[in-house]
Amino acid sequence: MGNGIQVRDRFADGAQYIGGKLRSGTSGRRHDVVNPATGESVYSYELAGTADVDAAVAAAREAFPGWSGATPAERAEAMHRFAAVLAEQADDFAYVESLQCGKPIKLSTEFDVPGTVDNTSFFAGAARHLEGKSAAEYDGDHTSYVRREAIGVIGSIAPWNYPLQMAAWKVLPAIAAGNTIVLKPAEITPLTSLMFAQAATEAGIPDGVINIVTGAGKEAGEHLVGHPDVVMTSFTGSTAVGKRVAEIATSTVKRLHLELGGKAPFVVFDDADLDAAVNGAVAGALINTGQDCTAATRAYVQRPLYDAFVRGVAELMDTVRLGDPFDPHTDLGPLISHAQRDRVAGFVERARAYATVVTGGEAPGGELADGAYYRPTLVADAAQDSEIVQSEIFGPVLVVLPFDSDDEGIRLANDTPYGLAASAWSRDLYRANRATREIKAGCVWVNDHIPIISEMPHGGYKASGFGKDMSSYSFEEYTQVKHVMYDNTAVVRKDWHRTIFGDR
């Protein structure tokens, strides 16, 4: 793909992918996909209505018996072909992801797309390893074993910050376990989710196994979550919206998986490698323009290193290159929209009343003025209970605070409602190990911040949600565990029957 005209051509039939085919939505309302680097529309489409959700769920329900009844080897083979198709189309996926999100092309090319291909390869293999407890005679008279079974039609909702990767995180464990799925991507970034589903069809995954409905949350999203034929909901997004999803899902007794907001602490002890911590903080804070639930947002630095850390981070942030996402030298792209840029700016402007903006804190002018750009920003001297420390900003903003004792540093790290990710920086094994034990987060890195791998789970504590994406642990979300028990005695009248009738 080379430009927006080709995007329009590719999705000319609409932004709904149901039963293996693109089709137009039926809501009667149109929506534009906007390139946040320029503010220009690159694609316009009809949003999904409730009828489209019903059609997608029906397609998934029809496909479920055949897909769940396939052998693990058959599902694995199809998913290996899927990974190969994705790899063949890697350049197209990277281009479209950068076009709709404003990601620097080097991020799409080196992180989003290869990560998705790797996830697909991992789950292709994992499809053959759905394990249960081994058969045994636990009471002496019966043989027990555990089956893992697909549960049915999954209704998932993915966010706009990593549209391709989040589509993969929702779809892959679900279908590897034998389920079928209806995914609602964010309406502002649907294009790579649609391409992902098309690639699955090209790979031979049956029609109806993966369906995409692109609509508004209030209409398409809520109808999907509440649909009587949907047995489980997986949602990634804000904690506020997650609460609403939970209300709808629990009212219909659905299984629920939530990956919600984050406010990741970055704890630097006084024996840390200062240069490594400075570089890690800037990279961890600015990944995807800070629009990452696991991004480093709160740096707690033990007082002996505090001043040098602040200077180092400010100097390094000032070297970060904002620019055209398709320029391979661009480090930082725009935020997802002007509304998000203004939201981030609002946090910083309010913080000026109680904290110090060390660097950044403004939108660039000149040739970037039309885009949703915001400069990398470092804020110091904020109180622990201030808005900028406690609330999720979702932008290129890092707040730095000092601490004295190790006890204080760990206490401050835990002092927000969130618990998705964190990092600890120390050369002392015992100190770092204590931090990994006591920081309440689903992932704690030591001397790094951000890397993820397909083999390990991703999910949070507290207001960051529950359940896991990626890894074999994600099958806990997408399989039903069944205990099967065989009598081995062939005795008509069992000893336990006497509790109901007769004597021993």
Side-chain angles (χ1 to χ4, degrees):
M1 286 187 162
N3 56 53
I5 298 298
Q6 290 175 300
V7 169
R8 293 187 180 99
D9 290 346
R10 176 154 184 169
F11 303 112
D13 291 334
Q16 318 305 324
Y17 196 75
I18 298 172
K21 294 180 177 61
L22 285 172
R23 54 189 265 184
S24 184
T26 61
S27 70
R29 292 181 291 114
R30 296 195 70 78
H31 188 83
D32 285 340
V33 177
V34 174
N35 177 354
T38 64
E40 297 174 352
S41 172
V42 298
Y43 176 64
S44 182
Y45 68 96
E46 190 98 357
L47 288 164
T50 57
D52 304 302
V53 174
D54 291 340
V57 172
R61 188 177 181 187
E62 183 178 354
F64 177 73
W67 184 247
S68 62
T71 66
E74 289 168 336
R75 289 199 296 270
E77 183 180 358
M79 293 181 69
H80 278 301
R81 293 195 302 268
F82 187 13
V85 172
L86 293 171
E88 289 167 5
Q89 299 177 9
D91 289 345
D92 286 353
F93 274 99
Y95 171 80
V96 177
E97 194 77 332
S98 288
L99 184 70
Q100 67 179 355
C101 298
K103 294 174 185 284
I105 192 67
K106 65 179 181 180
L107 180 65
S108 295
T109 302
E110 299 176 24
F111 185 78
D112 297 70
V113 175
T116 300
V117 174
D118 186 71
N119 286 167
T120 309
S121 295
F122 171 82
F123 279 107
R128 302 183 73 162
H129 296 280
L130 283 171
E131 296 180 348
K133 205 167 191 178
S134 300
E137 290 68 49
Y138 294 98
D139 70 351
D141 291 337
H142 302 82
T143 297
S144 289
Y145 68 89
V146 169
R147 290 175 54 90
R148 281 191 179 271
E149 298 179 348
I151 58 177
V153 177
I154 311 300
S156 292
I157 299 175
W160 48 256
N161 57 333
Y162 290 101
L164 176 60
Q165 284 198 308
M166 295 298 99
W169 286 16
K170 299 302 179 196
V171 168
L172 295 171
I175 68 170
N179 303 287
T180 57
I181 189 167
V182 179
L183 173 73
K184 192 197 89 65
E187 60 269 34
I188 60 176
T189 55
L191 301 179
T192 49
S193 297
L194 293 166
M195 292 170 64
F196 188 71
Q198 288 177 315
T201 299
E202 290 179 44
I205 290 177
D207 294 347
V209 172
I210 302 172
N211 305 275
I212 309 293
V213 290
T214 309
K218 285 289 187 182
E219 185 174 4
E222 293 198 1
H223 190 63
L224 176 62
V225 174
H227 199 289
D229 291 332
V230 169
V231 298
M232 173 188 160
T233 291
S234 178
F235 170 81
T236 295
S238 71
T239 298
V241 177
K243 291 177 181 177
R244 175 60 180 156
V245 169
E247 289 173 0
I248 299 169
T250 53
S251 71
T252 53
V253 199
K254 283 180 173 51
R255 187 178 296 198
L256 185 61
H257 166 221
L258 298 174
E259 198 265 84
L260 306 176
K263 190 71 177 174
F266 185 100
V267 183
V268 182
F269 294 100
D270 58 14
D271 66 329
D273 181 324
L274 179 62
D275 289 340
V278 166
N279 281 269
V282 173
L286 301 185
I287 179 78
N288 202 37
T289 318
Q291 298 167 128
D292 187 310
C293 296
T294 63
T297 60
R298 299 177 289 139
Y300 296 102
V301 183
Q302 206 149 24
R303 207 168 293 273
L305 296 185
Y306 179 78
D307 291 339
F309 180 89
V310 171
R311 284 195 305 271
V313 168
E315 290 170 3
L316 188 54
M317 278 187 169
D318 288 343
T319 71
V320 171
R321 299 164 296 187
L322 280 68
D324 176 2
F326 293 102
D327 181 338
H329 300 294
T330 291
D331 297 320
L332 198 73
L335 289 145
I336 191 65
S337 66
H338 287 81
Q340 179 66 11
R341 191 270 312 275
D342 293 345
R343 178 181 178 276
V344 170
F347 276 100
V348 177
E349 290 309 305
R350 291 190 295 274
R352 293 183 191 278
Y354 57 79
T356 302
V357 177
V358 180
T359 191
E362 63 181 2
E367 61 185 15
L368 301 181
D370 291 337
Y373 289 89
Y374 196 75
R375 294 194 185 283
T377 300
L378 179 65
V379 176
D381 305 324
Q384 174 66 16
D385 62 355
S386 62
E387 176 193 52
I388 205 162
V389 173
Q390 292 292 322
S391 299
E392 188 173 34
I393 300 171
F394 229 55
V397 179
L398 176 64
V399 184
V400 58
L401 301 89
F403 69 92
D404 291 304
S405 68
D406 289 17
D407 288 349
E408 182 188 16
I410 292 172
R411 178 181 62 78
L412 292 171
N414 286 328
D415 185 27
T416 72
Y418 301 105
L420 187 58
S423 63
W425 297 74
S426 173
R427 304 185 211 204
D428 185 321
L429 173 64
Y430 298 99
R431 209 174 201 183
N433 198 27
R434 178 193 175 191
T436 65
R437 291 195 312 271
E438 296 186 14
I439 293 176
K440 304 303 180 187
C443 174
V444 182
W445 293 283
V446 176
N447 295 328
D448 208 344
H449 194 109
I450 286 298
I452 53 174
I453 49 176
S454 298
E455 293 84 356
M456 287 291 113
H458 177 86
Y461 284 36
K462 302 188 293 185
S464 292
F466 48 81
K468 300 299 178 185
D469 288 309
M470 298 199 299
S471 83
S472 59
Y473 291 98
S474 65
F475 288 136
E476 301 296 328
E477 320 304 323
Y478 295 101
T479 58
Q480 184 67 266
V481 174
K482 178 186 287 184
H483 172 213
V484 178
M485 183 179 248
Y486 285 89
D487 171 60
N488 294 327
T489 66
V491 172
V492 172
R493 187 155 181 167
K494 319 292 187 193
D495 185 57
W496 71 266
H497 291 180
R498 65 186 175 80
T499 63
I500 311 303
F501 52 84
D503 301 318
R504 184 183 292 274

